[in-house]
Amino acid sequence: MRSSRPDDARATTPTTGHDAAPRDINSHDGARHDSARHDAARADHAGSESTAPAFSTIPDAPRSDDPALIAHLHADLAAAGFTVDGVTDLVGEQAMSAWSRDQAVPARRALHRRSRELGSAPGRAGDAHESEPRHAEEPHDPADHDVASLITLAAFFLLGDPVSAEALDAALPSVGARGLERLGLVEVGTDPAGNLADADDVSAPGVDGPPCTQRADRAAMDTSKPDTELRSAVDLRPYATDSSAELYVASDLGAFQRPGVLRHDHVLGIGGASLTLVQSTPRPPVATALDLGTGCGIQTFHLLAHARHVTATDISDRALATARFNLILNAEALDVDPWDLSARVSLERGSLLEPVVGSRFDMVVSNPPFVITPRSPEEHAEDRFTYRDGGLPGDRLVRQLLGALPSVLNPGATAHLLANWEIPRDPHEEPSATWSRGPASWVPQGTGVWIVQRELQDPCEYAETWLRDASQQRDVADYERAYAAYLDDFDSRDVAAVGFGMVWLYRPQESDAQDSDAQDTAPRIFETIPHAIQQPIAPALAAEWDRVLSMASDEARDAHDPGATSDTASAWLARHYTVAQDVTEERHGTPGAPDPALILLRQGAGLRRSMILSSEAAGFAGVCDGELSAGQILTALGSLLEWQDGPAPQLLREIKGLITHGFLVEV
């Protein structure tokens, strides 16, 4: 929910070509789903998905074998104002900020306050509504949302609180509780002994829920009874993208919504890492893209905005089932056919690159299961948290992935991912100085690479981070055992620290040529940027990468030009530059000193770098106003400073850095 809101978020009713008129699938008098009409619609698509496709009916995952019903769910959610703006207006900015940190108390208090204003408890039977429940056939003004319905949906889907079947029927008039049951989106509470909880035992908002829950058995749940207490089986939240479309994203309930340690096949929702990857991935138009380890599908949603076809892979059937549900739920906004997803999206099960052996793509995006986890001889695959643990010791998964990804890239293609890497102990240097040795050795020569390390943690910090991520601190004995196992594991490889950051891989345009200049000059950049950066950072990264390639191309031509005698032959010297608008200069020195001891340029945007400059480089930058070429400025500086052999190599490196990093921009 931290992403920017759309300029024109709209609450519209999606339709399909086979069922354009909305219908009341689950009316309040208990009418059954119109299966005959739905079957007729499916028959119109014979040959595409006339039978239930893979991942549409996976146990303990949302069902996606009924696109018409899912379309009505989207319509009901939008009609209720269940949007980023709608929920934020309902509970307030502070409560939403706390909720994004997995803290539900402020939002729950806000819902109670709004409910008291309506004269009812959130999501309870007998809620007071301002009007009669709407039917799907009735027109609805998106600006006139039913506050009680919005409260019900926020309590149910966002907080994981119990609500009555009657309240769900009112909030989702064309789907209702029975429709949610049909889609596998509801469950009933249980007590510690596993018995179905009585309605009076299920907590109201503001009170912690029962210690455990289970997905509802249809035989045990009668949604026709208005006082039946239900809980959501998923976290279903609105998500505002960088386009005008508002999406809905289902995933497994988080630790603050479901008591206890996360299930090991947990399907992660929209987290900080996934948003970081979204914000750092460029969006050029491409024909084919690969989302490696799709999870709930968030990266695929963004890829569909600029890729004609996306292949999404995961090792988890539940993750692929959830991604498929989300694709169909947002079919209109994502421009996919809910009856024929394969026309634009392929869902493939398998580990890492196994499902796409022999294929190549124009872009690869991956938030892989990179978390370093202790291995033991007794462990089983089902014991791993599949959303983060790839099952390999140490950082071997990342090592293998960085080595193999270039093989699935088309010439000129890029790969974008997040990763961890272990930093072995060095008796002579700190981890901050040696961190890039491993990643630099894993990426094949001839492949361009840019790795930005954003964080460095010692083994203790790393263990605490990922134990807390799965809520393992709730079991004290297990937490202490797992903590010790992490430290033993790191000690066995003499690991001093673990780095985390963003990875950009590039296959040169001429990578198939044995003697290609691109093979020799593919940029390889490793840098640490721990401070806050501008978000989304992707446009700045893409622009800088283009400048890096341009500078590398100039230098490669010079190296192969028999007439070139020095760096002054570079094409960049013929170009004109000016100082970027976000750049400021700082001069530091002791009081009374005639000259500054330190000259610093700072960026206010992009990666927000700082560069310490020599007085000559600062003088060069100060003259850049677009009038003179870089070569002319250097000639003038040479005359002023009486250079005998032209500009020093160090000065040229400083100026090239100012250009590639965007302190100086070409005019």
Side-chain angles (χ1 to χ4, degrees):
M1 288 246 183
R2 295 181 182 178
S3 59
S4 59
R5 299 178 188 174
D7 293 333
D8 59 336
R10 293 165 291 180
T12 59
T13 302
T15 60
T16 69
H18 299 270
D19 193 13
R23 69 180 188 275
D24 187 356
I25 292 178
N26 189 82
S27 63
H28 297 285
D29 63 0
R32 294 180 299 172
H33 172 55
D34 187 354
S35 58
R37 184 176 181 184
H38 171 53
D39 289 343
R42 288 177 60 88
D44 287 344
H45 291 269
S48 57
E49 288 189 322
S50 58
T51 59
F55 313 117
S56 63
T57 56
I58 300 298
D60 289 340
R63 295 185 57 148
S64 56
D65 57 340
D66 193 340
L69 181 59
I70 295 173
H72 285 290
L73 173 61
H74 186 286
D76 280 349
L77 294 171
F82 190 59
T83 64
V84 172
D85 288 338
V87 176
T88 302
D89 291 342
L90 180 71
V91 302
E93 293 279 358
Q94 290 185 354
M96 285 301 296
S97 179
W99 179 80
S100 70
R101 300 189 300 271
D102 293 346
Q103 300 297 322
V105 172
R108 190 171 281 123
R109 290 179 70 251
L111 292 185
H112 270 297
R113 183 174 61 253
R114 296 301 301 270
S115 297
R116 286 196 298 271
E117 296 171 1
L118 295 177
S120 64
R124 291 293 172 178
D127 280 352
H129 292 273
E130 298 176 7
S131 61
E132 290 299 316
R134 298 183 306 275
H135 290 269
E137 291 86 348
E138 298 175 358
H140 176 64
D141 180 1
D144 184 25
H145 299 308
D146 187 333
V147 176
S149 294
L150 186 55
I151 291 173
T152 294
L153 295 177
F156 186 70
F157 285 127
L158 299 183
L159 301 182
D161 290 341
V163 304
S164 69
E166 181 183 26
L168 287 174
D169 288 343
L172 303 170
S174 58
V175 175
R178 292 184 64 195
L180 294 180
E181 177 192 6
R182 169 73 179 83
L183 296 174
L185 302 182
V186 294
E187 62 187 14
V188 290
T190 62
D191 61 22
N195 300 316
L196 291 178
D198 294 331
D200 293 340
D201 295 331
V202 181
S203 63
V207 181
D208 288 338
C212 60
T213 57
Q214 66 181 11
R215 192 173 296 274
D217 183 341
R218 292 184 184 178
M221 181 173 64
D222 185 358
T223 54
S224 65
K225 294 183 177 180
D227 60 347
T228 300
E229 291 285 356
L230 304 173
R231 288 180 180 269
S232 178
V234 299
D235 175 308
L236 181 63
R237 66 181 70 183
Y239 174 61
T241 71
D242 51 5
S243 69
S244 62
E246 183 129 11
L247 306 179
Y248 295 103
V249 181
S251 62
D252 277 344
L253 295 163
F256 79 106
Q257 299 158 316
R258 179 194 295 276
V261 177
L262 298 180
R263 58 185 298 162
H264 288 274
D265 58 353
H266 180 79
V267 178
L268 193 65
I270 305 172
S274 59
L275 289 179
T276 294
L277 185 57
V278 165
Q279 293 168 330
S280 62
T281 301
R283 303 295 169 190
V286 295
T288 57
L290 170 64
D291 177 7
L292 185 67
T294 188
C296 69
I298 185 65
Q299 305 303 325
T300 290
F301 304 157
H302 286 270
L303 286 171
L304 283 168
H306 62 106
R308 291 202 298 271
H309 190 275
V310 178
T311 299
T313 70
D314 206 287
I315 199 170
S316 165
D317 285 344
R318 292 190 67 250
L320 291 167
T322 303
R324 189 177 194 280
F325 174 85
N326 285 329
L327 287 165
I328 294 177
L329 181 61
N330 299 288
E332 184 179 39
L334 298 176
D335 191 25
V336 299
D337 182 349
W339 303 91
D340 185 17
L341 284 182
S342 61
R344 292 204 64 204
V345 183
S346 297
L347 299 174
E348 305 290 345
R349 186 184 188 279
S351 177
L352 299 181
L353 296 175
E354 289 176 359
V356 294
V357 171
S359 300
R360 286 189 178 182
F361 302 89
D362 299 322
M363 176 176 283
V364 176
V365 174
S366 181
N367 184 14
F370 56 72
V371 177
I372 299 166
T373 307
R375 308 263 71 95
S376 69
E378 299 81 18
E379 76 174 12
H380 301 283
E382 58 269 19
D383 297 329
R384 303 174 191 141
F385 292 104
T386 55
Y387 72 94
R388 69 182 203 186
D389 179 6
L392 297 177
D395 55 17
R396 189 175 299 175
L397 182 141
V398 171
R399 187 180 314 182
Q400 293 181 0
L401 195 55
L402 294 188
L405 272 175
S407 68
V408 300
L409 296 178
N410 283 320
T414 57
H416 309 271
L417 61 152
L418 305 179
N420 274 164
W421 42 83
E422 293 182 336
I423 307 171
R425 196 175 311 281
D426 187 305
H428 306 294
E429 294 185 272
E430 293 297 316
S432 58
T434 65
W435 70 268
S436 64
R437 292 175 183 172
S441 69
W442 306 335
V443 179
Q445 290 299 314
T447 300
V449 56
W450 184 10
I451 299 183
V452 179
Q453 180 171 262
R454 298 286 289 141
E455 189 174 1
L456 194 69
Q457 290 186 323
D458 66 42
C460 294
E461 292 173 318
Y462 191 85
E464 292 161 12
T465 295
W466 294 107
L467 289 169
R468 187 169 55 248
D469 174 78
S471 300
Q472 288 177 267
Q473 74 275 16
R474 296 183 177 184
D475 184 332
V476 176
D478 178 66
Y479 177 83
E480 293 184 354
R481 285 193 299 270
Y483 199 147
Y486 264 103
L487 300 186
D488 290 342
D489 185 55
F490 284 132
D491 284 346
S492 71
R493 293 184 298 277
D494 201 21
V495 174
V498 179
F500 168 82
M502 306 179 295
V503 179
W504 179 306
L505 301 178
Y506 169 75
R507 181 170 182 174
Q509 290 281 0
E510 299 176 0
S511 59
D512 292 333
Q514 293 296 323
D515 58 348
S516 168
D517 294 343
Q519 286 280 8
D520 300 328
T521 61
R524 296 175 71 87
I525 305 168
F526 303 88
E527 58 182 325
T528 297
I529 301 181
H531 55 258
I533 59 179
Q534 183 185 30
Q535 293 292 2
I537 192 60
L541 294 178
E544 178 156 339
W545 185 251
D546 287 343
R547 293 190 295 267
V548 168
L549 291 180
S550 176
M551 186 66 73
S553 177
D554 289 348
E555 294 176 342
R557 281 195 296 269
D558 292 342
H560 290 78
D561 182 359
T565 57
S566 69
D567 279 338
T568 57
S570 292
W572 66 268
L573 286 164
R575 301 183 183 119
H576 295 240
Y577 300 92
T578 187
V579 178
Q581 293 183 349
D582 64 303
V583 172
T584 57
E585 180 183 271
E586 297 177 12
R587 292 176 177 255
H588 301 268
T590 57
D595 298 310
L598 182 69
I599 303 175
L600 199 69
L601 292 190
R602 292 188 186 276
Q603 290 176 319
L607 289 169
R608 294 173 176 158
R609 287 190 177 89
S610 298
M611 285 188 65
I612 299 175
L613 299 182
S614 64
S615 58
E616 291 88 349
F620 178 93
V623 180
C624 285
D625 59 4
E627 293 295 325
L628 300 176
S629 70
Q632 290 171 324
I633 295 174
L634 281 175
T635 299
L637 280 177
S639 298
L640 179 66
L641 300 175
E642 300 180 347
W643 292 337
Q644 298 298 317
D645 300 315
Q650 173 60 30
L651 174 59
L652 293 176
R653 284 193 291 270
E654 287 184 86
I655 296 173
K656 291 177 183 178
L658 290 172
I659 295 171
T660 56
H661 293 328
F663 288 85
L664 300 178
V665 295
E666 187 177 352
V667 295

